Structures are given as C-alpha cells and as structure tokens.
C-alpha cells in the first residue's frame, strides 16, 4: 500500500499551472477526452490520491477491496468512493460526486494503454498529478495562490466550449477573488459564505487572506475559534469541484448542493455554535462575511 502525502516544495504557482496545462493537453491528445470532463477527471484523481490505500502500480500489493483485474478508472472510482465515505460526507453528496465521476471507469479510450505513453491516459494523468500537483494543492503549511480546478475549468471551457456561459457561469480569476477577500477583511475565526460557490475560488482566497492576517500562524482566532468556509452550489459539476477543493484543504467540506434562491436555503446548513456575543436562540447558522460572484443569465 502506498501513502500519498503532500510533497515538500512541490512547486510554485507557475509550476502548478504549467502542470495543469500539460494535463489539459495530454487528456485531449492522448485520451481524446471532451473538454467538459477534463477538470472532473483531475478532481477524481486528486481524491483517489487522498486515499492512502490507492495505487495503480501493478507491482505493488493493492489495498483491501481492490481487484487487480479491473481498469484504472475503476480503481480510481473505488478509491474515491472509499475516501468520500471515510470523511463522513452526506450520502447525497457522495451520490452526486460519484455520478460526475462515472465516466472515469466507463470511458474505454482513457482506460486502455496508449501506444505513445506506454500506459493508460488515466495512469499518466495520475502520475503527473501525484508528482506535480497534489502536494501544491494539499500542503497545509501554505495556501495555494490559485484555484487549480477553477483554472482547469476555465481553460477547458475556453478550448472546448460547453454550457458554462449559457448557465451564467463566470468563474472569478485568482487576483480578483483575493482582492475581494482582502476588501471585506476576512480574519481568522470568521465564518465565511459564498452562496454561489462555483469551484470554491472565493473560499480558497478567504482562507489565504485569513492565514496571512494571522501573524501567529495559528488557525484559531483570539476566542479559540477556527475559521469556517461555507459554500452553496447548484450545478453538479461545479459542486463536485468545489467539494474536492475543500476536501483537499481540510479533509472536510462545508459546501452544500442547492440554490441560494430556494425558499428553504437557510436550512441547507446545520446550526453552528454561536460566536461570543452573538444570539444563541437563533437556530440559523451565523456568517460573518460573504463573498460571491453571482451567476449571470439565469431567469430567477
């Protein structure tokens, strides 16, 4: 069994984006994978690598419950499902995410050995992510300056079209989301909400700013409270990417599947322990700061 840990000194933002571009090119060239599915494949591999029992190596003993005769994509999905169960996500969340990942095991082209690569496209993608991206996106000692999954989504949409614009999906560049988090003065201990979370770039930016404002490098504020980053996302694909981002950063996720426009949107989040000085008889979750790039073009 192989332990997959964040890689020390795994590379700068530029190196991470260079690896992301290589992944996009390879998934298109070797796997002929449609652009809309490319970020989702990367998300699936990232989650599989978070399962310490996961391996695609044929000469390494597979973890319990893994069949060496199944495809690489099936191994990915098995590892992802076990990992999602291990972090106690709601069954509904797991179902949505596994439905998004279903093509990973059913797409024959990305699962068969490519003559140029000498391995399957999935195996190649896994190797690139493990060596060049996983550590950058999970290192708890630093906060990524860019939302890599959001970057992949934007780049794949630009090259392959898709329904993003028709759905009003406009993802926010990293420098803008970071500026907004700075302007609302996100600090350690804040409970932050993005009600149209997309891939979670605002939540990553909020964490980055909160950490930079904490000169003691402690995740807690003066009241001993850790920051909480919450999101709401309606689109299945973006919800999957945002949840993946949060799991990679924290091993848990406060992103929920739904719409801020729903009449019962307040019930999407369970109540939290009130912060000092806040009402205790209000069952709704309390938020200190809100960041959002609202969707454009939707009638409601």
């Amino acid at each position: 069994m192989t332990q997959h840990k964040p890689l020390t000194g795994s590379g700068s933002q530029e190196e991470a984006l260079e690896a992301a571009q290589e992944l996009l090119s390879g998934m298109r060239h070797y796997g002929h994978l449609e652009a809309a599915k490319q970020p989702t494949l990367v998300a699936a591999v990232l989650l599989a690598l978070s399962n310490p029992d996961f391996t695609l190596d044929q000469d390494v003993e597979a973890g319990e419950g893994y069949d060496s005769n199944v495809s690489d994509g099936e191994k990915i999905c098995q590892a992802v499902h076990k990992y999602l169960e291990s972090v106690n996500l709601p069954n509904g969340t797991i179902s949505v995410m596994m439905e998004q990942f279903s093509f990973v095991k059913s797409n024959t082209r990305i699962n068969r050995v490519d003559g140029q690569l000498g391995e399957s496209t999935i195996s190649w993608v896994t190797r690139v992510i493990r060596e060049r991206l996983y550590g950058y996106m999970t290192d708890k000692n630093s906060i990524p300056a860019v939302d890599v999954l959001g970057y992949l989504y934007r780049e794949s949409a630009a090259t392959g079209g898709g329904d993003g614009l028709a759905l009003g999906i406009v993802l926010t560049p990293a420098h803008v989301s970071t500026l907004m988090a700075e302007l609302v003065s996100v600090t350690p201990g804040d409970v932050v909400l993005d009600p149209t979370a997309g891939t979670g770039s605002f939540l990553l930016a909020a964490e980055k700013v909160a950490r930079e404002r904490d000169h003691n490098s402690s995740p807690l504020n003066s009241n001993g409270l850790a920051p909480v980053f919450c999101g709401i996302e309606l689109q299945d694909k973006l919800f999957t990417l945002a949840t993946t981002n949060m799991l990679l950063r924290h091993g848990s996720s406060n992103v929920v599947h739904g719409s801020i426009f729903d009449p019962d949107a307040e019930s999407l989040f369970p109540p939290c322990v009130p912060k000092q000085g806040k009402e205790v008889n209000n069952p709704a979750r309390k938020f200190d700061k809100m960041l959002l790039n609202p969707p454009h073009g939707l009638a409601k």
Side-chain angles (χ1 to χ4, degrees):
M1 293 184 290
T2 304
Q3 291 289 332
H4 301 285
K5 298 180 179 179
L7 305 177
T8 303
S10 57
S12 65
Q13 172 182 331
E14 292 74 19
E15 292 169 334
L17 294 182
E18 181 180 319
Q21 278 290 353
E22 183 176 332
L23 284 168
L24 289 172
S25 177
M27 287 186 286
R28 181 174 62 252
H29 178 72
Y30 299 116
H32 299 278
L33 186 63
E34 60 186 275
K37 292 180 178 177
Q38 292 168 6
T40 309
L41 173 57
V42 173
V45 172
L46 285 164
L47 292 175
L49 289 169
S50 297
N51 182 336
D53 293 336
F54 168 69
T55 180
L56 291 181
D57 300 331
Q58 298 302 313
D59 58 342
V60 178
E61 182 181 357
E64 181 181 354
Y66 294 96
D67 185 348
S68 60
N69 295 317
V70 301
S71 68
D72 289 341
E74 180 65 35
K75 292 177 183 178
I76 294 281
C77 288
Q78 288 177 5
V80 171
H81 193 268
K82 292 187 74 171
Y83 172 71
L84 295 180
E85 289 184 327
S86 73
V87 294
N88 299 317
L89 289 180
N91 289 333
T93 293
I94 295 177
S95 296
V96 170
M97 296 181 72
M98 292 310 300
E99 176 62 27
Q100 290 296 302
F101 296 143
S102 62
F103 75 91
V104 175
K105 59 183 177 182
S106 63
N107 185 308
T108 56
R109 186 178 291 273
I110 63 176
N111 276 282
R112 70 190 183 199
V113 175
D114 179 86
Q116 297 181 63
L117 290 172
E119 59 186 330
S120 71
T121 302
I122 287 181
S123 178
W124 174 82
V125 167
T126 301
R127 180 162 49 82
V128 172
I129 292 174
R130 183 179 61 236
E131 295 174 357
R132 300 174 60 188
L133 268 183
Y134 184 76
Y136 175 80
M137 297 179 68
T138 58
D139 185 2
K140 299 301 186 293
N141 295 318
S142 64
I143 303 296
V146 64
D147 169 16
V148 176
L149 289 177
Y151 175 82
L152 288 167
Y153 182 92
R154 287 194 302 271
E155 291 296 301
S156 62
T159 58
D163 57 3
L165 291 178
L167 293 171
I169 298 171
V170 182
L171 298 186
T172 310
H175 67 283
V176 177
S177 56
T178 300
L179 173 62
M180 294 300 105
E182 291 172 344
L183 289 175
V184 299
S185 300
V186 177
T187 56
D190 280 343
V191 183
V192 182
L193 172 67
D194 182 349
T196 56
T199 60
S201 60
F202 270 125
L203 300 180
L204 292 177
E207 180 179 3
K208 180 177 185 293
V209 170
R211 286 279 295 272
E212 289 175 346
R213 290 174 181 270
D214 185 3
H215 301 296
N216 295 321
S217 299
S218 168
L220 306 180
N221 69 355
S222 58
N223 294 324
L225 297 170
V228 180
F229 306 101
C230 303
I232 305 173
E233 178 51 48
L234 178 62
Q235 300 298 330
D236 293 0
K237 184 187 306 178
L238 294 177
F239 168 72
T240 297
L241 297 180
T243 302
T244 298
N245 263 329
M246 293 300 102
L247 290 172
L248 293 174
R249 292 301 311 160
H250 307 289
S252 61
S253 175
N254 287 306
V255 179
V256 298
H257 192 226
S259 170
I260 188 62
F261 300 113
D262 290 343
D264 59 346
E266 195 172 72
S267 66
L268 289 173
F269 292 101
C272 66
V273 177
K275 286 176 62 175
Q276 200 172 53
K278 291 197 171 184
E279 298 178 28
V280 297
N281 59 347
N282 189 334
R285 179 176 279 276
K286 297 288 189 179
F287 298 103
D288 301 294
K289 308 284 170 60
M290 182 183 294
L291 290 160
L292 73 155
N293 178 359
H296 308 282
L298 294 179
K300 65 180 181 179

